[in-house]
PDB file of all heavy atoms in Angstrom:
ATOM      1  N   ALA A   1      33.020 -17.988  35.759  1.00  0.00           N
ATOM      2  CA  ALA A   1      32.156 -17.223  36.653  1.00  0.00           C
ATOM      3  C   ALA A   1      32.669 -15.794  36.735  1.00  0.00           C
ATOM      4  O   ALA A   1      33.762 -15.549  37.252  1.00  0.00           O
ATOM      5  CB  ALA A   1      32.132 -17.860  38.040  1.00  0.00           C
ATOM      6  N   ASP A   2      31.883 -14.833  36.222  1.00  0.00           N
ATOM      7  CA  ASP A   2      32.301 -13.429  36.139  1.00  0.00           C
ATOM      8  C   ASP A   2      31.707 -12.651  37.309  1.00  0.00           C
ATOM      9  O   ASP A   2      30.538 -12.276  37.287  1.00  0.00           O
ATOM     10  CB  ASP A   2      31.854 -12.836  34.809  1.00  0.00           C
ATOM     11  CG  ASP A   2      32.398 -11.429  34.586  1.00  0.00           C
ATOM     12  OD1 ASP A   2      33.240 -10.982  35.389  1.00  0.00           O
ATOM     13  OD2 ASP A   2      31.981 -10.771  33.621  1.00  0.00           O
ATOM     14  N   GLU A   3      32.501 -12.407  38.349  1.00  0.00           N
ATOM     15  CA  GLU A   3      32.057 -11.675  39.542  1.00  0.00           C
ATOM     16  C   GLU A   3      30.733 -12.238  40.073  1.00  0.00           C
ATOM     17  O   GLU A   3      29.762 -11.498  40.282  1.00  0.00           O
ATOM     18  CB  GLU A   3      31.890 -10.175  39.226  1.00  0.00           C
ATOM     19  CG  GLU A   3      33.158  -9.475  38.785  1.00  0.00           C
ATOM     20  CD  GLU A   3      34.022  -8.988  39.940  1.00  0.00           C
ATOM     21  OE1 GLU A   3      33.743  -9.391  41.084  1.00  0.00           O
ATOM     22  OE2 GLU A   3      34.961  -8.236  39.686  1.00  0.00           O
ATOM     23  N   PRO A   4      30.652 -13.550  40.326  1.00  0.00           N
ATOM     24  CA  PRO A   4      29.352 -14.141  40.679  1.00  0.00           C
ATOM     25  C   PRO A   4      28.843 -13.763  42.056  1.00  0.00           C
ATOM     26  O   PRO A   4      27.676 -14.007  42.365  1.00  0.00           O
ATOM     27  CB  PRO A   4      29.639 -15.648  40.606  1.00  0.00           C
ATOM     28  CG  PRO A   4      31.092 -15.760  40.955  1.00  0.00           C
ATOM     29  CD  PRO A   4      31.729 -14.549  40.334  1.00  0.00           C
ATOM     30  N   THR A   5      29.692 -13.176  42.908  1.00  0.00           N
ATOM     31  CA  THR A   5      29.246 -12.872  44.281  1.00  0.00           C
ATOM     32  C   THR A   5      29.464 -11.419  44.666  1.00  0.00           C
ATOM     33  O   THR A   5      29.287 -11.056  45.831  1.00  0.00           O
ATOM     34  CB  THR A   5      30.004 -13.750  45.299  1.00  0.00           C
ATOM     35  OG1 THR A   5      31.408 -13.449  45.243  1.00  0.00           O
ATOM     36  CG2 THR A   5      29.799 -15.225  45.015  1.00  0.00           C
ATOM     37  N   SER A   6      29.818 -10.551  43.717  1.00  0.00           N
ATOM     38  CA  SER A   6      30.208  -9.181  44.081  1.00  0.00           C
ATOM     39  C   SER A   6      29.059  -8.382  44.683  1.00  0.00           C
ATOM     40  O   SER A   6      29.293  -7.439  45.440  1.00  0.00           O
ATOM     41  CB  SER A   6      30.769  -8.444  42.865  1.00  0.00           C
ATOM     42  OG  SER A   6      29.779  -8.296  41.875  1.00  0.00           O
ATOM     43  N   ALA A   7      27.813  -8.717  44.356  1.00  0.00           N
ATOM     44  CA  ALA A   7      26.677  -7.946  44.870  1.00  0.00           C
ATOM     45  C   ALA A   7      25.983  -8.637  46.040  1.00  0.00           C
ATOM     46  O   ALA A   7      24.923  -8.201  46.472  1.00  0.00           O
ATOM     47  CB  ALA A   7      25.662  -7.710  43.753  1.00  0.00           C
ATOM     48  N   LEU A   8      26.593  -9.691  46.580  1.00  0.00           N
ATOM     49  CA  LEU A   8      25.938 -10.499  47.600  1.00  0.00           C
ATOM     50  C   LEU A   8      26.492 -10.216  48.988  1.00  0.00           C
ATOM     51  O   LEU A   8      27.635  -9.801  49.153  1.00  0.00           O
ATOM     52  CB  LEU A   8      26.102 -11.990  47.275  1.00  0.00           C
ATOM     53  CG  LEU A   8      25.567 -12.450  45.915  1.00  0.00           C
ATOM     54  CD1 LEU A   8      25.828 -13.935  45.739  1.00  0.00           C
ATOM     55  CD2 LEU A   8      24.077 -12.153  45.784  1.00  0.00           C
ATOM     56  N   ASP A   9      25.665 -10.476  50.003  1.00  0.00           N
ATOM     57  CA  ASP A   9      26.110 -10.387  51.381  1.00  0.00           C
ATOM     58  C   ASP A   9      27.206 -11.411  51.650  1.00  0.00           C
ATOM     59  O   ASP A   9      27.303 -12.435  50.955  1.00  0.00           O
ATOM     60  CB  ASP A   9      24.937 -10.675  52.334  1.00  0.00           C
ATOM     61  CG  ASP A   9      23.796  -9.703  52.132  1.00  0.00           C
ATOM     62  OD1 ASP A   9      24.079  -8.521  51.902  1.00  0.00           O
ATOM     63  OD2 ASP A   9      22.639 -10.134  52.194  1.00  0.00           O
ATOM     64  N   VAL A  10      27.998 -11.173  52.702  1.00  0.00           N
ATOM     65  CA  VAL A  10      29.146 -12.046  52.942  1.00  0.00           C
ATOM     66  C   VAL A  10      28.728 -13.480  53.238  1.00  0.00           C
ATOM     67  O   VAL A  10      29.400 -14.430  52.813  1.00  0.00           O
ATOM     68  CB  VAL A  10      30.033 -11.509  54.080  1.00  0.00           C
ATOM     69  CG1 VAL A  10      30.826 -10.311  53.634  1.00  0.00           C
ATOM     70  CG2 VAL A  10      29.208 -11.173  55.328  1.00  0.00           C
ATOM     71  N   THR A  11      27.615 -13.672  53.950  1.00  0.00           N
ATOM     72  CA  THR A  11      27.194 -15.037  54.250  1.00  0.00           C
ATOM     73  C   THR A  11      26.676 -15.744  53.001  1.00  0.00           C
ATOM     74  O   THR A  11      26.931 -16.931  52.798  1.00  0.00           O
ATOM     75  CB  THR A  11      26.108 -15.041  55.340  1.00  0.00           C
ATOM     76  OG1 THR A  11      25.082 -14.115  54.978  1.00  0.00           O
ATOM     77  CG2 THR A  11      26.682 -14.652  56.680  1.00  0.00           C
ATOM     78  N   VAL A  12      25.933 -15.012  52.163  1.00  0.00           N
ATOM     79  CA  VAL A  12      25.454 -15.601  50.907  1.00  0.00           C
ATOM     80  C   VAL A  12      26.634 -15.845  49.971  1.00  0.00           C
ATOM     81  O   VAL A  12      26.717 -16.874  49.295  1.00  0.00           O
ATOM     82  CB  VAL A  12      24.411 -14.677  50.240  1.00  0.00           C
ATOM     83  CG1 VAL A  12      23.907 -15.289  48.945  1.00  0.00           C
ATOM     84  CG2 VAL A  12      23.251 -14.420  51.183  1.00  0.00           C
ATOM     85  N   GLN A  13      27.578 -14.885  49.933  1.00  0.00           N
ATOM     86  CA  GLN A  13      28.789 -15.065  49.135  1.00  0.00           C
ATOM     87  C   GLN A  13      29.520 -16.329  49.544  1.00  0.00           C
ATOM     88  O   GLN A  13      29.945 -17.128  48.692  1.00  0.00           O
ATOM     89  CB  GLN A  13      29.704 -13.859  49.325  1.00  0.00           C
ATOM     90  CG  GLN A  13      31.088 -14.012  48.707  1.00  0.00           C
ATOM     91  CD  GLN A  13      31.962 -12.804  48.976  1.00  0.00           C
ATOM     92  OE1 GLN A  13      32.041 -11.907  48.153  1.00  0.00           O
ATOM     93  NE2 GLN A  13      32.614 -12.780  50.118  1.00  0.00           N
ATOM     94  N   LYS A  14      29.659 -16.549  50.825  1.00  0.00           N
ATOM     95  CA  LYS A  14      30.347 -17.750  51.313  1.00  0.00           C
ATOM     96  C   LYS A  14      29.615 -19.003  50.881  1.00  0.00           C
ATOM     97  O   LYS A  14      30.236 -19.983  50.447  1.00  0.00           O
ATOM     98  CB  LYS A  14      30.459 -17.705  52.839  1.00  0.00           C
ATOM     99  CG  LYS A  14      31.231 -18.885  53.449  1.00  0.00           C
ATOM    100  CD  LYS A  14      31.340 -18.752  54.953  1.00  0.00           C
ATOM    101  CE  LYS A  14      32.199 -19.867  55.523  1.00  0.00           C
ATOM    102  NZ  LYS A  14      31.628 -21.216  55.282  1.00  0.00           N
ATOM    103  N   ALA A  15      28.275 -18.991  50.980  1.00  0.00           N
ATOM    104  CA  ALA A  15      27.499 -20.163  50.575  1.00  0.00           C
ATOM    105  C   ALA A  15      27.672 -20.465  49.088  1.00  0.00           C
ATOM    106  O   ALA A  15      27.833 -21.635  48.688  1.00  0.00           O
ATOM    107  CB  ALA A  15      26.025 -19.955  50.905  1.00  0.00           C
ATOM    108  N   ILE A  16      27.659 -19.428  48.241  1.00  0.00           N
ATOM    109  CA  ILE A  16      27.828 -19.629  46.793  1.00  0.00           C
ATOM    110  C   ILE A  16      29.220 -20.160  46.491  1.00  0.00           C
ATOM    111  O   ILE A  16      29.391 -21.117  45.716  1.00  0.00           O
ATOM    112  CB  ILE A  16      27.588 -18.307  46.035  1.00  0.00           C
ATOM    113  CG1 ILE A  16      26.128 -17.855  46.171  1.00  0.00           C
ATOM    114  CG2 ILE A  16      27.973 -18.455  44.559  1.00  0.00           C
ATOM    115  CD1 ILE A  16      25.121 -18.760  45.516  1.00  0.00           C
ATOM    116  N   LEU A  17      30.241 -19.572  47.107  1.00  0.00           N
ATOM    117  CA  LEU A  17      31.614 -20.018  46.846  1.00  0.00           C
ATOM    118  C   LEU A  17      31.855 -21.418  47.398  1.00  0.00           C
ATOM    119  O   LEU A  17      32.576 -22.218  46.785  1.00  0.00           O
ATOM    120  CB  LEU A  17      32.605 -19.025  47.449  1.00  0.00           C
ATOM    121  CG  LEU A  17      32.603 -17.637  46.797  1.00  0.00           C
ATOM    122  CD1 LEU A  17      33.485 -16.674  47.587  1.00  0.00           C
ATOM    123  CD2 LEU A  17      33.080 -17.716  45.350  1.00  0.00           C
ATOM    124  N   ASP A  18      31.256 -21.711  48.560  1.00  0.00           N
ATOM    125  CA  ASP A  18      31.347 -23.080  49.087  1.00  0.00           C
ATOM    126  C   ASP A  18      30.761 -24.075  48.100  1.00  0.00           C
ATOM    127  O   ASP A  18      31.310 -25.168  47.886  1.00  0.00           O
ATOM    128  CB  ASP A  18      30.596 -23.187  50.422  1.00  0.00           C
ATOM    129  CG  ASP A  18      31.340 -22.550  51.577  1.00  0.00           C
ATOM    130  OD1 ASP A  18      32.539 -22.240  51.420  1.00  0.00           O
ATOM    131  OD2 ASP A  18      30.716 -22.361  52.650  1.00  0.00           O
ATOM    132  N   HIS A  19      29.644 -23.682  47.491  1.00  0.00           N
ATOM    133  CA  HIS A  19      28.991 -24.600  46.550  1.00  0.00           C
ATOM    134  C   HIS A  19      29.831 -24.791  45.289  1.00  0.00           C
ATOM    135  O   HIS A  19      29.949 -25.910  44.779  1.00  0.00           O
ATOM    136  CB  HIS A  19      27.602 -24.091  46.180  1.00  0.00           C
ATOM    137  CG  HIS A  19      26.802 -25.091  45.414  1.00  0.00           C
ATOM    138  ND1 HIS A  19      26.307 -26.241  45.989  1.00  0.00           N
ATOM    139  CD2 HIS A  19      26.464 -25.156  44.107  1.00  0.00           C
ATOM    140  CE1 HIS A  19      25.689 -26.963  45.067  1.00  0.00           C
ATOM    141  NE2 HIS A  19      25.764 -26.313  43.922  1.00  0.00           N
ATOM    142  N   LEU A  20      30.404 -23.722  44.768  1.00  0.00           N
ATOM    143  CA  LEU A  20      31.281 -23.863  43.601  1.00  0.00           C
ATOM    144  C   LEU A  20      32.457 -24.785  43.913  1.00  0.00           C
ATOM    145  O   LEU A  20      32.867 -25.601  43.072  1.00  0.00           O
ATOM    146  CB  LEU A  20      31.788 -22.491  43.157  1.00  0.00           C
ATOM    147  CG  LEU A  20      30.766 -21.575  42.476  1.00  0.00           C
ATOM    148  CD1 LEU A  20      31.376 -20.213  42.190  1.00  0.00           C
ATOM    149  CD2 LEU A  20      30.242 -22.189  41.183  1.00  0.00           C
ATOM    150  N   GLN A  21      32.986 -24.680  45.132  1.00  0.00           N
ATOM    151  CA  GLN A  21      34.086 -25.566  45.503  1.00  0.00           C
ATOM    152  C   GLN A  21      33.638 -27.017  45.581  1.00  0.00           C
ATOM    153  O   GLN A  21      34.385 -27.926  45.202  1.00  0.00           O
ATOM    154  CB  GLN A  21      34.690 -25.123  46.829  1.00  0.00           C
ATOM    155  CG  GLN A  21      35.573 -23.883  46.700  1.00  0.00           C
ATOM    156  CD  GLN A  21      36.444 -23.678  47.917  1.00  0.00           C
ATOM    157  OE1 GLN A  21      35.937 -23.547  49.018  1.00  0.00           O
ATOM    158  NE2 GLN A  21      37.751 -23.626  47.720  1.00  0.00           N
ATOM    159  N   ARG A  22      32.412 -27.239  46.063  1.00  0.00           N
ATOM    160  CA  ARG A  22      31.901 -28.616  46.097  1.00  0.00           C
ATOM    161  C   ARG A  22      31.737 -29.174  44.687  1.00  0.00           C
ATOM    162  O   ARG A  22      32.035 -30.355  44.436  1.00  0.00           O
ATOM    163  CB  ARG A  22      30.563 -28.664  46.846  1.00  0.00           C
ATOM    164  CG  ARG A  22      30.707 -28.634  48.356  1.00  0.00           C
ATOM    165  CD  ARG A  22      29.426 -29.053  49.052  1.00  0.00           C
ATOM    166  NE  ARG A  22      28.346 -28.114  48.806  1.00  0.00           N
ATOM    167  CZ  ARG A  22      28.137 -27.019  49.534  1.00  0.00           C
ATOM    168  NH1 ARG A  22      28.935 -26.737  50.546  1.00  0.00           N
ATOM    169  NH2 ARG A  22      27.121 -26.226  49.264  1.00  0.00           N
ATOM    170  N   LEU A  23      31.258 -28.351  43.751  1.00  0.00           N
ATOM    171  CA  LEU A  23      31.144 -28.814  42.361  1.00  0.00           C
ATOM    172  C   LEU A  23      32.510 -29.198  41.815  1.00  0.00           C
ATOM    173  O   LEU A  23      32.655 -30.195  41.098  1.00  0.00           O
ATOM    174  CB  LEU A  23      30.529 -27.708  41.496  1.00  0.00           C
ATOM    175  CG  LEU A  23      29.063 -27.341  41.780  1.00  0.00           C
ATOM    176  CD1 LEU A  23      28.657 -26.152  40.926  1.00  0.00           C
ATOM    177  CD2 LEU A  23      28.144 -28.520  41.513  1.00  0.00           C
ATOM    178  N   ARG A  24      33.509 -28.410  42.152  1.00  0.00           N
ATOM    179  CA  ARG A  24      34.870 -28.724  41.712  1.00  0.00           C
ATOM    180  C   ARG A  24      35.341 -30.033  42.336  1.00  0.00           C
ATOM    181  O   ARG A  24      35.874 -30.916  41.648  1.00  0.00           O
ATOM    182  CB  ARG A  24      35.818 -27.603  42.108  1.00  0.00           C
ATOM    183  CG  ARG A  24      37.263 -27.844  41.723  1.00  0.00           C
ATOM    184  CD  ARG A  24      38.209 -26.897  42.412  1.00  0.00           C
ATOM    185  NE  ARG A  24      38.244 -27.138  43.852  1.00  0.00           N
ATOM    186  CZ  ARG A  24      39.082 -26.540  44.685  1.00  0.00           C
ATOM    187  NH1 ARG A  24      39.924 -25.636  44.231  1.00  0.00           N
ATOM    188  NH2 ARG A  24      39.062 -26.814  45.967  1.00  0.00           N
ATOM    189  N   ASP A  25      35.134 -30.191  43.644  1.00  0.00           N
ATOM    190  CA  ASP A  25      35.657 -31.363  44.354  1.00  0.00           C
ATOM    191  C   ASP A  25      34.905 -32.641  43.988  1.00  0.00           C
ATOM    192  O   ASP A  25      35.513 -33.704  43.816  1.00  0.00           O
ATOM    193  CB  ASP A  25      35.585 -31.132  45.865  1.00  0.00           C
ATOM    194  CG  ASP A  25      36.457 -29.975  46.329  1.00  0.00           C
ATOM    195  OD1 ASP A  25      37.399 -29.618  45.585  1.00  0.00           O
ATOM    196  OD2 ASP A  25      36.201 -29.429  47.410  1.00  0.00           O
TER     197      ASP A  25
END
């Protein structure tokens, strides 16, 4: 994932990163 959240709002960034962590877990 190459800077997948750099242009996103903090709440949307958190949601995307939370989802990536769920995919990992």
Side-chain angles (χ1 to χ4, degrees):
D2 187 8
E3 299 275 12
T5 63
S6 64
L8 302 179
D9 301 321
V10 286
T11 50
V12 180
Q13 172 182 265
K14 183 178 184 298
I16 294 294
L17 294 172
D18 285 347
H19 190 70
L20 288 176
Q21 284 195 302
R22 281 195 295 274
L23 293 175
R24 179 194 67 173
D25 297 339

